[in-house]
PDB file of all heavy atoms in Angstrom:
ATOM      1  N   GLY A  15      26.542  47.837  88.329  1.00 98.00           N
ATOM      2  CA  GLY A  15      27.335  48.290  87.203  1.00 98.00           C
ATOM      3  C   GLY A  15      28.120  47.182  86.523  1.00 98.00           C
ATOM      4  O   GLY A  15      28.694  47.400  85.447  1.00 98.00           O
ATOM      5  N   ALA A  24      20.599  23.390  75.838  1.00 98.00           N
ATOM      6  CA  ALA A  24      19.333  22.684  75.611  1.00 98.00           C
ATOM      7  C   ALA A  24      19.550  21.344  74.922  1.00 98.00           C
ATOM      8  O   ALA A  24      20.493  21.175  74.143  1.00 98.00           O
ATOM      9  CB  ALA A  24      18.417  23.556  74.752  1.00 98.00           C
ATOM     10  N   SER A  30      16.908  24.636  66.957  1.00 97.00           N
ATOM     11  CA  SER A  30      16.910  25.693  65.939  1.00 97.00           C
ATOM     12  C   SER A  30      15.497  26.166  65.601  1.00 97.00           C
ATOM     13  O   SER A  30      15.321  27.278  65.107  1.00 97.00           O
ATOM     14  CB  SER A  30      17.609  25.223  64.678  1.00 97.00           C
ATOM     15  OG  SER A  30      16.964  24.079  64.148  1.00 97.00           O
ATOM     16  N   LEU A  47       8.941  37.877  81.801  1.00 98.00           N
ATOM     17  CA  LEU A  47       9.823  37.761  80.653  1.00 98.00           C
ATOM     18  C   LEU A  47      10.900  38.844  80.708  1.00 98.00           C
ATOM     19  O   LEU A  47      10.613  40.013  80.944  1.00 98.00           O
ATOM     20  CB  LEU A  47       9.028  37.906  79.359  1.00 98.00           C
ATOM     21  CG  LEU A  47       9.845  37.912  78.072  1.00 98.00           C
ATOM     22  CD1 LEU A  47      10.458  36.545  77.805  1.00 98.00           C
ATOM     23  CD2 LEU A  47       8.986  38.351  76.889  1.00 98.00           C
ATOM     24  N   ALA A  60      12.116  43.083  77.786  1.00 98.00           N
ATOM     25  CA  ALA A  60      11.362  43.881  78.745  1.00 98.00           C
ATOM     26  C   ALA A  60      11.920  45.299  78.728  1.00 98.00           C
ATOM     27  O   ALA A  60      13.126  45.505  78.541  1.00 98.00           O
ATOM     28  CB  ALA A  60      11.492  43.278  80.135  1.00 98.00           C
ATOM     29  N   ARG A  66      20.580  47.253  77.973  1.00 98.00           N
ATOM     30  CA  ARG A  66      21.555  46.700  78.931  1.00 98.00           C
ATOM     31  C   ARG A  66      21.775  45.205  78.726  1.00 98.00           C
ATOM     32  O   ARG A  66      22.879  44.701  78.939  1.00 98.00           O
ATOM     33  CB  ARG A  66      21.077  46.931  80.372  1.00 98.00           C
ATOM     34  CG  ARG A  66      20.896  48.389  80.735  1.00 98.00           C
ATOM     35  CD  ARG A  66      20.599  48.557  82.238  1.00 98.00           C
ATOM     36  NE  ARG A  66      19.363  47.911  82.651  1.00 98.00           N
ATOM     37  CZ  ARG A  66      19.289  46.979  83.600  1.00 98.00           C
ATOM     38  NH1 ARG A  66      20.377  46.570  84.220  1.00 98.00           N
ATOM     39  NH2 ARG A  66      18.112  46.452  83.936  1.00 98.00           N
ATOM     40  N   GLN A  81      23.476  38.143  77.824  1.00 98.00           N
ATOM     41  CA  GLN A  81      24.545  39.041  78.272  1.00 98.00           C
ATOM     42  C   GLN A  81      23.904  40.184  79.039  1.00 98.00           C
ATOM     43  O   GLN A  81      23.056  40.896  78.483  1.00 98.00           O
ATOM     44  CB  GLN A  81      25.328  39.575  77.076  1.00 98.00           C
ATOM     45  CG  GLN A  81      26.420  40.566  77.443  1.00 98.00           C
ATOM     46  CD  GLN A  81      27.543  39.932  78.234  1.00 98.00           C
ATOM     47  OE1 GLN A  81      28.002  38.837  77.914  1.00 98.00           O
ATOM     48  NE2 GLN A  81      27.993  40.612  79.275  1.00 98.00           N
ATOM     49  N   LEU A  85      24.438  46.110  85.402  1.00 98.00           N
ATOM     50  CA  LEU A  85      23.467  45.472  86.300  1.00 98.00           C
ATOM     51  C   LEU A  85      23.112  46.371  87.473  1.00 98.00           C
ATOM     52  O   LEU A  85      23.954  47.137  87.980  1.00 98.00           O
ATOM     53  CB  LEU A  85      24.016  44.138  86.795  1.00 98.00           C
ATOM     54  CG  LEU A  85      23.909  43.007  85.766  1.00 98.00           C
ATOM     55  CD1 LEU A  85      24.877  41.882  86.082  1.00 98.00           C
ATOM     56  CD2 LEU A  85      22.488  42.477  85.700  1.00 98.00           C
TER      57      LEU A  85
END
Side-chain angles (χ1 to χ4, degrees):
S30 59
L47 176 69
R66 300 188 298 122
Q81 177 67 43
L85 282 160

